[in-house]
Amino acid sequence: MCGIVGYLGPKNPKDIIVSGLKKLEYRGYDSAGVAILDQGKTKRVRAQGKLKALEDKLQHEKFDGHIGIGHTRWATHGKPSERNAHPHQVRGINLVHNGIIENYLDIREELLAQGADITSDTDSELVAHLIANEVDQTKDLFKAVENTLDKLRGAFSILVMWEQEPDRLVAFKDGPPLVVGLGEKEVFVASDVQALIQYTKKFVYLEDREVASIKGSDVQFFSANGFPIQKKIVELNWNPEMVEKQGYAHYMLKEIYEQPRAVAAAIEPHVNPETFTVALKNIGFGGQPVQKLEELDSKTDWAKTQEVFKGIERVFIIACGTSNYAGMVGKYLIEQLAKVPVEVDIASEFRYRNPVIPPKTLVLTISQSGETADTLAAIRMAKEMGATTLSICNVRNSTIDREAHGHLYMNSGPEIGVASTKAFTSTMAVLNCLAIAMGRSRGVMNEANEKDLVRSLLAVPSQMEGVLAYDKYFEEAASKLKLFRGFLYMGRGTSYPIAMEGALKLKELAYMHAEGYAAGEMKHGPLALIDERMAIVMVAPTDHLYEKTISNLEEARARGGKVISIGTGDNEKLRSISEYYLAIPQAHWTVSAILTVIPLQLMSYHLASNLGYDVDQPRNLAKSVTVE
Ligand code: M6R
């Protein structure tokens, strides 16, 4: 979950690497460092803490070379400290690494027996030693890396330079993502295109066990066992402004406010606003690599998709964190609208519990980053077991996107805040499209019903604008939350996953204890927690479960709990029994979760930011979880 940047070209590597690392800081932020050629030697500067500490150190540093690598770290082996920060340097070899070397203990022992001078507690430094040993023999960085790969086990990516070959970078991926950016007489390497989008729009995505050998501005690709391979250049249409804060205090706030646009972009390819029908666009079932999706014939593709939907008898939804809560909303939607049984699984559980995947199963994975290690492992396993797989990702061409049989996109644009917001609401919008499409394909939903559901969905972006307009009330409610000892978020139906998501947002941003519960479960244990210092956040839109939710709320209130409620319109009842009542507009149950989550996101945001916490980069977390 670390961030890697490398540069080889005529410009100043320091500025490019630091600006790239800033865009990647979401991947890890406990230490950072660079190694850049200067007067024929690699000068290394590292600092513990956020990137700012490195920037301060680099302020007066000058480098005359044109090659360099940089890293921002999320600690796995070895605590956050300067000595454990990357790049690791061994006899002119400089290396940055993302991921885990599983056999590091054996390697360490072997190196120590050979008398190696190991200066950090990381697994990464050991790889630098192995490459340095090889390069002593081969005098060729590419060969040295190649010879080293067989000795390493785990999921990892590396980028290496050697001061004896000052015009070469070698990159290898087997797990965490790496892209090569192609510029005019310059080449970049990074963990994510966000780091490079201001310099180039042309990218080559490394697949697992592929090596990029960059010499000057020439880039060649090889399999790990040394065979040359042809790679496709992907041109992205992102613009650099998409990854800037644009005047907002935090990325997270910007991303919360972008949600109406993001949801509109998520449904736009699939929904016809004139006929109020859904036809999923270019899913690509049939095994085509994602790069060709745009070239698919939409009509035949849709027919093929409908065939797949008709044939399935079960759906598994697999994801982690917030994406998993979106998946839980998907369960309600798909079961109700398409009448297929759905199981939702946390990826890290699914992959290790020997799941039974019957024939005719569709495995749907959800991942904003498309790189989450457990979700990736789950989709690989599902494929091996014969399931048809479909992914919903935000980052196109990410590993999960590339590996799935079928592809849907959140279309949210880059999400940089570590706490996921717009990817969550966009996913719920896509899941609405998917459930409607499945229902129609399977003949269990009539045309009139489809039209009603599509009308509700099309109304959501402007309803979201309406909710955002009440931000000052959410901020006011947030100002009181810090007085509480703990929080119980509750809801029923699709409001249950929203309660879980609300609690997660509070935990990860404000570091306060919060739990999300199905409201009907309160009397089976959690009611015992309630007293006047426990806040109850009740998600109670006016739907078929409203009356039951109110009964649960009364039970909690009777035990002294203080209530913050989210309901529909001007709800006198909720207003009268709540310390704070936050309203969303009337909406069909299939879309109300997209609206009820907004007050929860904003309350957590304001609380954390008023407490002075780093909203975009909460402690101990990283945006892209590429280790299990
Ligand atoms: O990229 P993914 O959607 O696969 O990420 C999954 C989780 O790591 C992610 O949703 C995480 O829970 C967020 N930080 C929550 O805000």
Side-chain angles (χ1 to χ4, degrees):
M1 292 175 350
C2 308
I4 288 176
V5 184
Y7 177 74
L8 176 51
K11 297 191 189 119
N12 175 351
K14 178 176 108 174
D15 296 345
I16 291 172
I17 293 169
V18 170
S19 92
L21 290 178
K22 274 190 196 155
K23 302 283 173 353
L24 296 183
E25 214 184 357
Y26 72 86
R27 300 181 66 87
Y29 32 85
D30 58 46
S31 59
V34 299
I36 299 172
L37 200 73
D38 184 47
Q39 302 187 3
K41 294 269 167 217
T42 30
K43 198 196 288 178
R44 178 173 66 159
V45 181
R46 301 182 295 172
Q48 183 181 344
K50 295 214 161 198
L51 193 59
K52 178 75 181 56
L54 177 70
E55 278 187 275
D56 291 347
K57 272 191 163 180
L58 281 172
Q59 218 179 2
H60 303 295
E61 293 286 352
K62 291 208 165 35
F63 304 83
D64 67 4
H66 293 284
I67 182 168
I69 58 179
H71 189 265
T72 175
R73 178 168 187 253
W74 186 83
T76 57
H77 295 64
K79 63 177 188 185
S81 64
E82 187 172 327
R83 74 193 278 271
N84 287 334
H86 299 217
H88 290 284
Q89 212 168 48
V90 179
R91 304 195 301 280
I93 289 289
N94 286 272
L95 170 138
V96 287
H97 160 229
N98 180 18
I100 289 177
I101 308 296
E102 284 168 2
N103 55 334
Y104 83 103
L105 282 174
D106 294 343
I107 301 174
R108 192 177 163 91
E109 249 172 55
E110 213 174 288
L111 287 168
L112 286 173
Q114 292 163 7
D117 178 19
I118 296 175
T119 57
S120 76
D121 315 310
T122 64
D123 50 351
S124 321
E125 186 194 345
L126 309 180
V127 185
H129 279 275
L130 293 178
I131 296 174
N133 290 351
E134 285 292 336
V135 93
D136 286 346
Q137 311 295 320
T138 61
K139 308 288 179 220
D140 178 315
L141 180 62
F142 174 70
K143 285 207 186 93
V145 171
E146 212 181 17
N147 294 349
T148 304
L149 294 178
D150 280 346
K151 300 178 184 152
L152 306 173
R153 275 205 329 270
F156 61 92
S157 296
I158 53 174
L159 177 65
V160 197
M161 60 188 253
W162 181 36
E163 60 189 27
Q164 306 290 316
E165 265 191 283
D167 59 347
R168 192 191 279 276
L169 284 172
V170 179
F172 170 72
K173 167 188 182 314
D174 191 8
L178 266 191
V179 292
V180 177
L182 306 171
E184 278 296 309
K185 298 202 164 59
E186 57 187 353
V187 183
F188 312 80
V189 179
S191 302
D192 186 330
V193 295
Q194 279 172 35
L196 307 179
I197 199 78
Q198 61 177 308
Y199 304 111
T200 180
K201 294 202 164 47
K202 287 188 186 158
F203 297 97
V204 177
Y205 291 82
L206 288 186
E207 299 289 345
D208 280 353
R209 302 207 58 77
E210 286 182 356
V211 184
S213 171
I214 302 153
K215 187 152 177 73
S217 55
D218 179 41
V219 192
Q220 293 182 338
F221 298 94
F222 299 88
S223 63
N225 44 10
F227 293 106
I229 45 176
Q230 291 297 321
K231 296 285 295 174
K232 183 171 171 117
I233 298 174
V234 177
E235 255 186 77
L236 290 189
N237 58 2
W238 286 9
N239 60 45
E241 292 74 56
M242 287 166 109
V243 290
E244 299 301 338
K245 276 194 225 157
Q246 295 172 357
Y248 285 93
H250 297 97
Y251 281 112
M252 182 187 175
L253 190 60
K254 169 182 167 250
E255 287 157 9
I256 290 174
Y257 273 86
E258 277 172 352
Q259 289 183 108
R261 249 188 304 138
V263 163
I267 60 181
E268 191 274 332
H270 311 301
V271 166
N272 183 329
E274 278 153 26
T275 57
F276 300 106
T277 53
V278 173
L280 296 182
K281 186 79 182 296
N282 290 358
I283 282 208
F285 277 129
Q288 299 91 336
V290 71
Q291 286 91 332
K292 292 198 182 140
L293 276 184
E294 271 68 30
E295 297 157 23
L296 286 177
D297 173 346
S298 291
K299 276 205 183 118
T300 38
D301 183 72
W302 176 223
K304 170 90 188 151
T305 301
Q306 286 175 299
E307 233 173 79
V308 172
F309 289 166
K310 256 186 236 163
I312 55 168
E313 291 178 357
R314 181 180 293 271
V315 176
F316 282 72
I317 303 181
I318 303 165
C320 300
T322 292
S323 291
N324 179 58
Y325 299 143
M328 285 169 70
V329 173
K331 176 182 168 80
Y332 289 89
L333 293 169
I334 295 172
E335 286 194 339
Q336 292 306 306
L337 306 184
K339 307 289 179 223
V340 197
V342 180
E343 253 181 71
V344 184
D345 248 301
I346 294 170
S348 53
E349 288 299 313
F350 176 84
R351 63 182 289 199
Y352 290 117
R353 72 174 167 82
N354 290 328
V356 177
I357 305 185
K360 302 189 181 167
T361 294
L362 177 73
V363 170
L364 169 65
T365 51
I366 302 173
S367 176
Q368 187 285 131
S369 60
E371 302 293 347
T372 300
D374 285 316
T375 312
L376 176 60
I379 199 170
R380 285 179 175 160
M381 196 169 105
K383 274 167 75 183
E384 266 168 32
M385 294 173 79
T388 302
T389 57
L390 171 63
S391 66
I392 302 179
C393 291
N394 192 31
V395 179
R396 279 178 189 246
N397 293 299
S398 55
T399 314
I400 293 172
D401 180 26
R402 291 197 303 270
E403 297 214 4
H405 295 118
H407 321 268
L408 283 168
Y409 297 103
M410 300 172 191
N411 277 353
S412 312
E415 188 181 70
I416 291 165
V418 165
S420 185
T421 52
K422 61 179 178 171
F424 180 63
T425 44
S426 297
T427 304
M428 290 190 284
V430 175
L431 285 165
N432 263 268
C433 297
L434 177 64
I436 297 169
M438 280 182 155
R440 288 291 281 152
S441 307
R442 298 168 63 79
V444 295
M445 181 190 294
N446 65 30
E447 206 184 317
N449 202 351
E450 178 182 24
K451 285 193 194 317
D452 283 349
L453 292 169
V454 171
R455 275 199 189 92
S456 309
L457 187 56
L458 285 169
V460 167
S462 69
Q463 290 183 311
M464 294 174 90
E465 301 273 8
V467 179
L468 288 166
Y470 286 112
D471 191 7
K472 68 168 192 259
Y473 299 108
F474 311 147
E475 187 169 5
E476 198 184 317
S479 68
K480 295 287 180 301
L481 295 187
K482 56 176 172 261
L483 306 173
F484 292 101
R485 171 173 59 90
F487 298 82
L488 285 175
Y489 285 66
M490 294 187 242
R492 280 172 173 261
T494 58
S495 299
Y496 163 41
I498 294 307
M500 309 274 282
E501 169 61 6
L504 177 64
K505 284 286 148 304
L506 196 71
K507 282 184 265 209
E508 71 180 325
L509 295 166
Y511 316 145
M512 290 175 125
H513 189 74
E515 292 300 335
Y517 268 101
E521 274 289 291
M522 294 311 291
K523 47 176 115 31
H524 300 288
L527 266 188
L529 284 170
I530 289 179
D531 60 19
E532 65 294 339
R533 291 185 57 218
M534 179 65 77
I536 296 151
V537 183
M538 185 60 93
V539 187
T542 310
D543 57 18
H544 55 295
L545 294 164
Y546 171 72
E547 298 295 342
K548 291 193 185 302
T549 312
I550 292 296
S551 308
N552 300 136
L553 186 54
E554 291 291 14
E555 287 155 12
R557 219 166 65 90
R559 275 127 189 120
K562 296 279 179 290
V563 176
I564 293 142
S565 62
I566 291 142
T568 305
D570 192 12
N571 186 324
E572 240 344 287
K573 168 77 184 166
L574 279 176
R575 195 183 295 284
S576 68
I577 61 176
S578 310
E579 306 289 302
Y580 281 97
Y581 169 65
L582 308 171
I584 58 144
Q586 177 68 52
H588 196 266
W589 75 265
T590 48
V591 293
S592 69
I594 308 177
L595 302 171
T596 50
V597 75
I598 297 175
L600 303 183
Q601 294 169 337
L602 280 164
M603 277 197 302
S604 295
Y605 166 80
H606 289 303
L607 178 57
S609 114
N610 289 340
L611 288 169
Y613 295 143
D614 188 338
V615 176
D616 283 332
Q617 293 167 352
R619 69 185 180 204
N620 305 337
L621 300 179
K623 180 86 180 150
S624 185
V625 186
T626 53
V627 293
E628 66 169 296

